[in-house]
Coordinates of all heavy atoms in Angstrom, one line a residue:
M1 N 0.8 -1.2 0.0 CA 0.0 0.0 0.0 C 0.9 1.2 0.0 O 1.9 1.3 -0.6 CB -0.9 0.0 1.2 CG -2.0 1.0 1.2 SD -3.5 0.4 0.4 CE -4.6 1.2 1.4
F2 N 0.6 2.2 0.8 CA 1.3 3.5 0.8 C 2.2 3.5 2.0 O 1.8 3.2 3.1 CB 0.4 4.7 0.8 CG -0.4 4.9 -0.4 CD1 -1.6 4.4 -0.6 CD2 0.2 5.7 -1.4 CE1 -2.3 4.6 -1.8 CE2 -0.5 5.9 -2.6 CZ -1.7 5.3 -2.8
E3 N 3.4 4.0 1.8 CA 4.3 4.2 3.0 C 4.1 5.7 3.4 O 4.1 6.6 2.6 CB 5.8 4.1 2.5 CG 6.8 4.2 3.6 CD 8.2 4.0 3.1 OE1 8.4 3.3 2.1 OE2 9.1 4.5 3.8
T4 N 3.9 5.8 4.7 CA 3.5 7.1 5.2 C 4.7 7.8 6.0 O 5.6 7.2 6.4 CB 2.3 7.1 6.2 OG1 2.6 6.2 7.2 CG2 1.1 6.5 5.4
G5 N 4.6 9.1 6.1 CA 5.6 9.9 6.8 C 5.2 10.1 8.2 O 4.4 9.3 8.8
S6 N 5.7 11.2 8.8 CA 5.5 11.4 10.2 C 4.3 12.1 10.6 O 4.0 12.3 11.8 CB 6.7 12.2 10.8 OG 6.8 13.4 10.1
Y7 N 3.5 12.6 9.7 CA 2.3 13.4 10.0 C 1.0 12.5 9.7 O 0.9 12.1 8.5 CB 2.2 14.7 9.3 CG 0.9 15.5 9.5 CD1 0.8 16.3 10.6 CD2 -0.1 15.3 8.6 CE1 -0.4 17.0 10.8 CE2 -1.3 16.0 8.8 CZ -1.4 16.9 9.9 OH -2.6 17.5 10.2
T8 N 0.2 12.3 10.7 CA -1.1 11.6 10.4 C -2.2 12.2 11.3 O -1.9 12.3 12.5 CB -1.0 10.1 10.7 OG1 0.0 9.5 9.9 CG2 -2.3 9.4 10.5
T9 N -3.3 12.5 10.8 CA -4.5 13.0 11.6 C -5.7 12.3 11.1 O -5.9 12.1 9.9 CB -4.6 14.5 11.4 OG1 -3.5 15.1 11.9 CG2 -5.8 15.0 12.2
T10 N -6.6 11.9 12.0 CA -7.8 11.2 11.7 C -9.0 12.2 12.0 O -9.0 12.8 13.1 CB -8.0 9.9 12.4 OG1 -7.0 9.0 12.1 CG2 -9.3 9.3 12.1
L11 N -9.9 12.3 11.1 CA -11.1 13.2 11.3 C -12.3 12.3 11.3 O -12.5 11.5 10.3 CB -11.1 14.2 10.1 CG -12.4 15.1 10.1 CD1 -12.5 16.0 11.3 CD2 -12.3 15.9 8.8
K12 N -13.1 12.4 12.3 CA -14.4 11.8 12.4 C -15.5 12.8 12.6 O -15.4 13.5 13.6 CB -14.5 10.7 13.5 CG -13.6 9.6 13.2 CD -13.7 8.6 14.4 CE -12.7 7.4 14.1 NZ -12.8 6.4 15.1
I13 N -16.4 12.9 11.7 CA -17.4 14.0 11.8 C -18.7 13.6 11.0 O -18.6 12.8 10.1 CB -16.9 15.3 11.3 CG1 -17.6 16.5 11.8 CG2 -16.7 15.3 9.8 CD1 -16.8 17.8 11.7
D14 N -19.9 14.1 11.4 CA -21.1 13.6 10.8 C -21.8 14.7 10.0 O -22.8 14.5 9.3 CB -22.0 13.0 11.8 CG -22.4 13.9 12.9 OD1 -22.0 15.1 12.9 OD2 -23.1 13.4 13.8
S15 N -21.4 15.9 10.1 CA -22.0 17.1 9.4 C -21.2 17.4 8.1 O -20.0 17.6 8.1 CB -22.0 18.3 10.2 OG -22.3 19.5 9.5
R16 N -21.9 17.3 6.9 CA -21.3 17.6 5.6 C -20.6 19.0 5.6 O -19.5 19.1 5.1 CB -22.3 17.5 4.5 CG -21.8 17.8 3.1 CD -20.9 16.7 2.6 NE -20.5 17.0 1.3 CZ -19.7 16.2 0.6 NH1 -19.3 15.1 1.1 NH2 -19.3 16.6 -0.6
T17 N -21.3 20.0 6.1 CA -20.7 21.3 6.1 C -19.5 21.4 7.0 O -18.5 21.9 6.6 CB -21.8 22.3 6.6 OG1 -23.0 22.2 5.9 CG2 -21.3 23.7 6.6
A18 N -19.5 20.8 8.2 CA -18.4 20.8 9.1 C -17.3 20.0 8.5 O -16.1 20.3 8.7 CB -18.8 20.3 10.5
L19 N -17.6 18.9 7.9 CA -16.6 18.0 7.3 C -15.7 18.7 6.3 O -14.5 18.7 6.3 CB -17.3 16.8 6.6 CG -16.4 15.9 5.8 CD1 -15.4 15.1 6.8 CD2 -17.2 14.9 5.0
E20 N -16.3 19.4 5.4 CA -15.6 20.1 4.3 C -14.6 21.2 4.9 O -13.5 21.2 4.6 CB -16.5 20.8 3.3 CG -17.2 19.8 2.5 CD -18.3 20.4 1.5 OE1 -18.3 21.6 1.5 OE2 -19.0 19.6 0.9
G21 N -15.1 21.9 5.9 CA -14.3 22.9 6.6 C -13.1 22.3 7.4 O -12.0 22.8 7.3
E22 N -13.4 21.3 8.1 CA -12.4 20.6 8.9 C -11.4 19.9 8.0 O -10.2 19.9 8.3 CB -13.0 19.6 9.9 CG -13.6 20.3 11.1 CD -12.6 21.0 11.9 OE1 -11.6 20.4 12.4 OE2 -12.7 22.3 12.1
L23 N -11.9 19.2 7.0 CA -11.0 18.5 6.1 C -10.0 19.5 5.4 O -8.8 19.2 5.3 CB -11.8 17.7 5.0 CG -11.0 16.6 4.3 CD1 -10.3 15.7 5.2 CD2 -12.0 15.9 3.4
D24 N -10.5 20.6 5.0 CA -9.7 21.7 4.4 C -8.6 22.2 5.4 O -7.4 22.3 5.0 CB -10.5 22.9 3.9 CG -11.3 22.6 2.6 OD1 -11.0 21.6 2.0 OD2 -12.2 23.4 2.3
R25 N -9.0 22.3 6.6 CA -8.1 22.8 7.7 C -7.0 21.8 7.9 O -5.8 22.1 8.0 CB -8.9 23.1 9.0 CG -8.0 23.6 10.1 CD -8.8 23.7 11.4 NE -9.2 22.4 11.9 CZ -8.3 21.6 12.6 NH1 -7.1 21.9 12.7 NH2 -8.8 20.4 13.0
I26 N -7.4 20.5 8.0 CA -6.4 19.5 8.3 C -5.4 19.3 7.1 O -4.2 19.1 7.2 CB -7.1 18.2 8.6 CG1 -7.7 18.3 10.0 CG2 -6.1 17.0 8.7 CD1 -8.6 17.2 10.4
V27 N -6.0 19.4 5.8 CA -5.1 19.2 4.7 C -4.1 20.4 4.6 O -3.0 20.2 4.3 CB -6.0 19.2 3.4 CG1 -5.1 19.4 2.1 CG2 -6.7 17.8 3.3
N28 N -4.6 21.6 4.9 CA -3.7 22.8 5.0 C -2.6 22.6 6.0 O -1.4 23.0 5.8 CB -4.5 24.1 5.2 CG -5.3 24.5 4.0 OD1 -4.9 24.2 2.9 ND2 -6.4 25.2 4.2
E29 N -3.0 22.0 7.2 CA -2.0 21.7 8.2 C -0.9 20.7 7.7 O 0.3 20.8 7.9 CB -2.7 21.2 9.4 CG -1.8 21.0 10.6 CD -2.6 20.5 11.8 OE1 -3.5 21.3 12.3 OE2 -2.4 19.4 12.3
A30 N -1.4 19.7 6.9 CA -0.5 18.7 6.4 C 0.4 19.3 5.3 O 1.6 18.9 5.2 CB -1.3 17.5 5.7
V31 N -0.1 20.3 4.6 CA 0.7 21.0 3.6 C 1.9 21.7 4.3 O 3.0 21.6 3.8 CB -0.1 22.0 2.8 CG1 0.8 22.9 2.0 CG2 -1.1 21.3 1.9
Q32 N 1.6 22.3 5.4 CA 2.7 22.9 6.2 C 3.8 21.9 6.6 O 5.0 22.2 6.5 CB 2.1 23.7 7.4 CG 1.2 24.8 7.0 CD 1.8 25.8 6.0 OE1 2.9 26.3 6.2 NE2 1.1 26.1 5.0
H33 N 3.3 20.8 7.1 CA 4.3 19.7 7.5 C 5.1 19.2 6.2 O 6.3 18.9 6.4 CB 3.6 18.6 8.1 CG 3.1 18.8 9.5 ND1 4.0 18.6 10.6 CD2 2.0 19.4 10.0 CE1 3.3 19.0 11.7 NE2 2.1 19.4 11.4
A34 N 4.4 19.1 5.1 CA 5.1 18.6 3.9 C 6.1 19.6 3.4 O 7.2 19.2 3.0 CB 4.0 18.3 2.8
V35 N 5.8 20.9 3.5 CA 6.8 21.9 3.1 C 8.0 21.9 4.0 O 9.1 22.1 3.6 CB 6.1 23.3 3.1 CG1 7.1 24.4 3.0 CG2 5.1 23.4 2.0
A36 N 7.8 21.7 5.3 CA 8.9 21.6 6.3 C 9.7 20.4 6.1 O 10.9 20.4 6.5 CB 8.3 21.7 7.7
G37 N 9.2 19.3 5.6 CA 9.9 18.1 5.4 C 9.7 17.6 4.0 O 8.9 16.7 3.8
P38 N 10.4 18.1 3.1 CA 10.2 17.8 1.7 C 10.4 16.3 1.4 O 11.1 15.6 2.1 CB 11.3 18.6 0.9 CG 11.7 19.7 1.9 CD 11.5 19.1 3.2
G39 N 9.8 15.9 0.3 CA 9.9 14.5 -0.1 C 8.6 13.7 0.1 O 8.6 12.5 -0.2
H40 N 7.6 14.4 0.6 CA 6.3 13.7 0.9 C 5.2 14.4 0.1 O 5.2 15.7 0.1 CB 6.0 13.7 2.4 CG 7.0 13.0 3.2 ND1 8.1 13.6 3.7 CD2 7.0 11.7 3.5 CE1 8.7 12.7 4.4 NE2 8.1 11.5 4.3
G41 N 4.2 13.7 -0.3 CA 3.0 14.2 -0.8 C 1.9 14.0 0.3 O 2.3 13.5 1.4
I42 N 0.7 14.3 0.1 CA -0.4 14.2 1.1 C -1.4 13.1 0.6 O -1.8 13.2 -0.6 CB -1.0 15.5 1.3 CG1 0.0 16.5 1.9 CG2 -2.2 15.3 2.3 CD1 -0.5 17.9 2.0
L43 N -1.7 12.2 1.4 CA -2.7 11.2 1.1 C -3.9 11.4 2.0 O -3.8 11.4 3.2 CB -2.1 9.8 1.4 CG -3.0 8.6 1.2 CD1 -3.5 8.5 -0.3 CD2 -2.4 7.3 1.6
V44 N -5.1 11.6 1.4 CA -6.3 11.7 2.1 C -7.1 10.4 1.9 O -7.4 10.1 0.7 CB -7.1 12.9 1.6 CG1 -8.4 13.0 2.4 CG2 -6.3 14.2 1.8
T45 N -7.4 9.6 2.9 CA -8.1 8.4 2.8 C -9.4 8.5 3.5 O -9.5 8.8 4.7 CB -7.3 7.2 3.5 OG1 -6.0 7.2 2.9 CG2 -8.0 5.9 3.3
R46 N -10.5 8.1 2.7 CA -11.8 8.0 3.3 C -12.0 6.6 3.7 O -12.1 5.7 2.9 CB -12.8 8.4 2.3 CG -14.3 8.4 2.8 CD -15.2 8.8 1.7 NE -16.5 9.1 2.2 CZ -17.5 9.6 1.5 NH1 -17.3 10.0 0.3 NH2 -18.7 9.8 2.1
H47 N -12.1 6.3 5.0 CA -12.3 5.0 5.6 C -13.8 4.6 5.7 O -14.1 3.4 5.5 CB -11.7 4.9 6.9 CG -10.2 5.1 6.9 ND1 -9.3 4.2 6.5 CD2 -9.5 6.3 7.2 CE1 -8.1 4.7 6.6 NE2 -8.2 6.0 7.0
A48 N -14.6 5.5 6.0 CA -16.1 5.3 6.1 C -16.7 6.7 5.9 O -16.0 7.7 5.8 CB -16.4 4.8 7.5
F49 N -18.0 6.7 5.8 CA -18.7 8.0 5.7 C -18.4 8.8 6.9 O -18.8 8.4 8.0 CB -20.2 7.8 5.4 CG -20.4 7.0 4.1 CD1 -20.7 5.6 4.2 CD2 -20.3 7.6 2.9 CE1 -20.8 4.9 3.0 CE2 -20.4 6.9 1.7 CZ -20.7 5.6 1.8
G50 N -17.7 10.0 6.7 CA -17.4 10.9 7.8 C -16.1 10.5 8.5 O -15.8 11.2 9.5
T51 N -15.4 9.6 8.1 CA -14.1 9.2 8.7 C -13.0 9.3 7.7 O -13.0 8.5 6.7 CB -14.1 7.8 9.4 OG1 -15.2 7.8 10.3 CG2 -12.8 7.5 10.1
F52 N -12.0 10.2 7.9 CA -10.9 10.4 7.0 C -9.6 10.4 7.7 O -9.5 10.8 8.9 CB -11.0 11.8 6.3 CG -12.2 11.9 5.4 CD1 -13.5 12.2 5.9 CD2 -12.1 11.8 4.0 CE1 -14.6 12.3 5.1 CE2 -13.1 11.9 3.2 CZ -14.4 12.1 3.7
T53 N -8.5 10.0 7.1 CA -7.2 10.1 7.6 C -6.4 11.0 6.6 O -6.5 10.8 5.4 CB -6.5 8.8 7.7 OG1 -7.2 7.9 8.6 CG2 -5.0 8.9 8.2
V54 N -5.7 12.0 7.1 CA -4.8 12.8 6.3 C -3.4 12.6 6.8 O -3.1 12.7 8.0 CB -5.2 14.3 6.4 CG1 -4.2 15.2 5.6 CG2 -6.6 14.5 6.0
E55 N -2.5 12.2 5.8 CA -1.1 11.8 6.2 C -0.1 12.2 5.1 O -0.5 12.3 4.0 CB -1.0 10.4 6.6 CG -1.5 9.4 5.5 CD -1.7 8.0 6.0 OE1 -1.1 7.6 7.0 OE2 -2.5 7.3 5.4
L56 N 1.1 12.3 5.6 CA 2.2 12.5 4.6 C 2.6 11.1 4.1 O 2.6 10.1 4.8 CB 3.4 13.1 5.2 CG 3.2 14.5 5.8 CD1 4.6 15.1 6.3 CD2 2.6 15.5 4.8
S57 N 2.9 11.0 2.8 CA 3.2 9.7 2.2 C 4.4 9.9 1.3 O 4.5 10.8 0.4 CB 2.1 9.2 1.4 OG 2.4 8.0 0.7
N58 N 5.4 8.9 1.4 CA 6.6 8.9 0.5 C 6.2 8.5 -0.9 O 6.9 8.7 -1.8 CB 7.6 7.9 1.1 CG 8.2 8.3 2.4 OD1 8.2 9.5 2.7 ND2 8.6 7.4 3.2
E59 N 5.0 7.8 -1.0 CA 4.6 7.3 -2.3 C 3.7 8.2 -3.1 O 3.3 7.9 -4.2 CB 3.9 5.9 -2.1 CG 4.9 4.9 -1.5 CD 4.3 3.5 -1.4 OE1 3.5 3.2 -2.2 OE2 4.8 2.8 -0.5
V60 N 3.4 9.4 -2.5 CA 2.7 10.4 -3.2 C 3.7 11.5 -3.5 O 4.4 11.9 -2.6 CB 1.5 11.0 -2.3 CG1 0.9 12.2 -3.0 CG2 0.5 9.9 -2.0
P61 N 3.8 11.9 -4.8 CA 4.8 12.9 -5.2 C 4.7 14.2 -4.4 O 3.6 14.6 -4.1 CB 4.6 13.1 -6.7 CG 3.8 11.9 -7.1 CD 3.0 11.4 -6.0
Q62 N 5.8 14.7 -4.1 CA 5.8 16.0 -3.4 C 5.0 17.0 -4.2 O 5.1 17.1 -5.4 CB 7.3 16.5 -3.2 CG 7.4 17.8 -2.4 CD 8.8 18.2 -2.2 OE1 9.7 17.4 -2.4 NE2 9.0 19.4 -1.8
G63 N 4.2 17.8 -3.5 CA 3.4 18.8 -4.2 C 2.0 18.3 -4.6 O 1.3 19.0 -5.3
T64 N 1.8 17.0 -4.3 CA 0.5 16.4 -4.8 C -0.3 16.0 -3.6 O 0.2 15.5 -2.6 CB 0.9 15.1 -5.6 OG1 1.7 15.5 -6.7 CG2 -0.4 14.4 -6.1
I65 N -1.6 16.1 -3.7 CA -2.6 15.6 -2.8 C -3.3 14.4 -3.4 O -4.0 14.7 -4.4 CB -3.5 16.6 -2.3 CG1 -2.8 17.8 -1.6 CG2 -4.6 16.0 -1.3 CD1 -3.6 19.0 -1.2
A66 N -3.2 13.2 -2.9 CA -3.9 12.0 -3.5 C -5.0 11.6 -2.6 O -5.0 11.8 -1.4 CB -2.9 10.9 -3.7
E67 N -6.1 11.1 -3.2 CA -7.3 10.7 -2.5 C -7.5 9.2 -2.7 O -7.3 8.7 -3.8 CB -8.5 11.5 -2.9 CG -8.4 12.9 -2.7 CD -9.6 13.7 -3.2 OE1 -10.6 13.0 -3.7 OE2 -9.6 14.9 -3.2
L68 N -7.8 8.5 -1.6 CA -8.1 7.1 -1.6 C -9.4 6.9 -0.9 O -9.6 7.2 0.2 CB -7.0 6.3 -0.9 CG -7.1 4.8 -0.8 CD1 -7.2 4.2 -2.2 CD2 -5.9 4.2 0.0
D69 N -10.4 6.3 -1.6 CA -11.7 6.1 -1.1 C -11.9 4.6 -0.8 O -12.2 3.8 -1.6 CB -12.8 6.6 -2.1 CG -14.2 6.5 -1.5 OD1 -14.4 6.0 -0.4 OD2 -15.1 7.1 -2.1
M70 N -11.7 4.2 0.5 CA -11.9 2.9 0.9 C -13.4 2.4 1.0 O -13.7 1.3 1.0 CB -11.2 2.6 2.3 CG -9.7 2.9 2.3 SD -8.8 1.9 1.2 CE -8.9 0.3 2.0
T71 N -14.3 3.4 1.0 CA -15.7 3.1 1.0 C -16.1 2.4 -0.2 O -17.0 1.5 -0.2 CB -16.6 4.3 1.4 OG1 -16.5 5.2 0.3 CG2 -16.3 4.9 2.7
S72 N -15.6 2.8 -1.4 CA -15.9 2.2 -2.6 C -15.4 0.8 -2.7 O -16.0 -0.1 -3.2 CB -15.5 3.0 -3.8 OG -14.1 3.1 -3.9
R73 N -14.2 0.5 -2.1 CA -13.7 -0.8 -2.1 C -14.6 -1.7 -1.2 O -14.8 -2.8 -1.5 CB -12.3 -0.8 -1.5 CG -11.3 -0.2 -2.5 CD -9.9 -0.3 -2.0 NE -9.0 0.2 -3.0 CZ -7.7 0.2 -2.8 NH1 -7.1 -0.3 -1.8 NH2 -6.9 0.7 -3.8
L74 N -15.0 -1.1 0.0 CA -15.9 -1.9 0.9 C -17.2 -2.2 0.2 O -17.7 -3.4 0.3 CB -16.1 -1.1 2.2 CG -14.9 -0.9 3.1 CD1 -15.3 0.1 4.2 CD2 -14.4 -2.2 3.6
R75 N -17.8 -1.3 -0.5 CA -19.0 -1.5 -1.3 C -18.8 -2.6 -2.3 O -19.6 -3.5 -2.4 CB -19.5 -0.3 -1.9 CG -20.4 0.6 -1.1 CD -21.2 1.6 -1.9 NE -20.3 2.4 -2.8 CZ -19.7 3.5 -2.4 NH1 -19.9 4.0 -1.2 NH2 -18.9 4.2 -3.3
N76 N -17.7 -2.6 -3.0 CA -17.5 -3.6 -4.1 C -17.3 -4.9 -3.5 O -17.8 -5.9 -4.0 CB -16.2 -3.2 -4.9 CG -16.5 -2.0 -5.8 OD1 -17.7 -1.7 -6.1 ND2 -15.5 -1.3 -6.2
D77 N -16.5 -5.0 -2.3 CA -16.4 -6.3 -1.7 C -17.7 -6.9 -1.2 O -17.9 -8.1 -1.2 CB -15.4 -6.2 -0.5 CG -13.9 -5.9 -1.0 OD1 -13.7 -6.2 -2.2 OD2 -13.1 -5.5 -0.1
F78 N -18.5 -6.0 -0.7 CA -19.8 -6.4 -0.2 C -20.7 -7.0 -1.3 O -21.3 -8.0 -1.1 CB -20.5 -5.1 0.5 CG -21.8 -5.5 1.2 CD1 -21.7 -6.2 2.4 CD2 -23.0 -5.0 0.8 CE1 -22.9 -6.4 3.2 CE2 -24.1 -5.3 1.5 CZ -24.1 -6.0 2.7
V79 N -20.7 -6.3 -2.4 CA -21.5 -6.7 -3.6 C -20.9 -8.1 -4.1 O -21.7 -9.0 -4.4 CB -21.6 -5.6 -4.7 CG1 -22.2 -6.2 -5.9 CG2 -22.4 -4.4 -4.1
K80 N -19.6 -8.1 -4.2 CA -19.0 -9.3 -4.8 C -19.3 -10.6 -3.9 O -19.3 -11.7 -4.4 CB -17.5 -9.2 -4.9 CG -17.1 -8.3 -6.0 CD -15.6 -8.1 -6.1 CE -15.2 -7.0 -7.1 NZ -13.8 -6.7 -7.0
S81 N -19.5 -10.4 -2.6 CA -19.7 -11.5 -1.7 C -21.2 -12.0 -1.8 O -21.5 -12.9 -1.1 CB -19.4 -11.1 -0.3 OG -20.3 -10.2 0.3
G82 N -22.0 -11.3 -2.6 CA -23.3 -11.7 -2.8 C -24.3 -11.0 -1.8 O -25.5 -11.4 -1.8
Q83 N -23.8 -10.1 -1.0 CA -24.7 -9.4 0.0 C -25.1 -8.1 -0.6 O -24.3 -7.4 -1.2 CB -24.0 -9.2 1.3 CG -23.5 -10.5 1.9 CD -22.6 -10.3 3.1 OE1 -22.6 -9.2 3.6 NE2 -22.0 -11.3 3.6
T84 N -26.4 -7.8 -0.5 CA -26.8 -6.5 -1.0 C -27.7 -5.8 0.0 O -28.2 -6.3 0.8 CB -27.6 -6.6 -2.4 OG1 -28.7 -7.5 -2.1 CG2 -26.7 -7.1 -3.5

């Protein structure tokens, strides 16, 4: 998977409006850490609806913010197993 750097923050929130503002704030904080320690990009992972991790990653190019949606993988695994 992805090799991560020294900055990781998890966000759990249930309000769409608050989510966008908090996610922007945390990503901006990660950008500051990435600038201070070059060689990392930022990986934003959606683990569940309203649960995100923002972290520095050696596998994301510097200056890039990559998104990974684990909820779509979970949905696909659920459907493939024959459960709907």
Side-chain angles (χ1 to χ4, degrees):
M1 190 93 143
F2 289 93
E3 184 178 338
T4 59
S6 60
Y7 176 85
T8 302
T9 300
T10 300
L11 173 63
K12 293 182 181 183
I13 201 159
D14 58 4
S15 163
R16 177 74 179 180
T17 305
L19 174 67
E20 291 175 7
E22 282 299 299
L23 198 53
D24 285 347
R25 183 186 65 76
I26 290 171
V27 167
N28 286 333
E29 188 176 294
V31 167
Q32 297 304 313
H33 284 270
V35 168
H40 298 91
I42 298 169
L43 176 62
V44 180
T45 305
R46 182 180 190 172
H47 299 280
F49 298 100
T51 304
F52 294 81
T53 301
V54 177
E55 57 195 330
L56 299 184
S57 174
N58 295 332
E59 296 185 30
V60 175
Q62 183 175 348
T64 302
I65 299 172
E67 298 177 3
L68 177 61
D69 187 351
M70 298 301 288
T71 62
S72 63
R73 289 183 179 185
L74 293 173
R75 271 195 307 271
N76 290 339
D77 290 344
F78 189 69
V79 171
K80 287 177 187 174
S81 70
Q83 301 174 11
T84 54

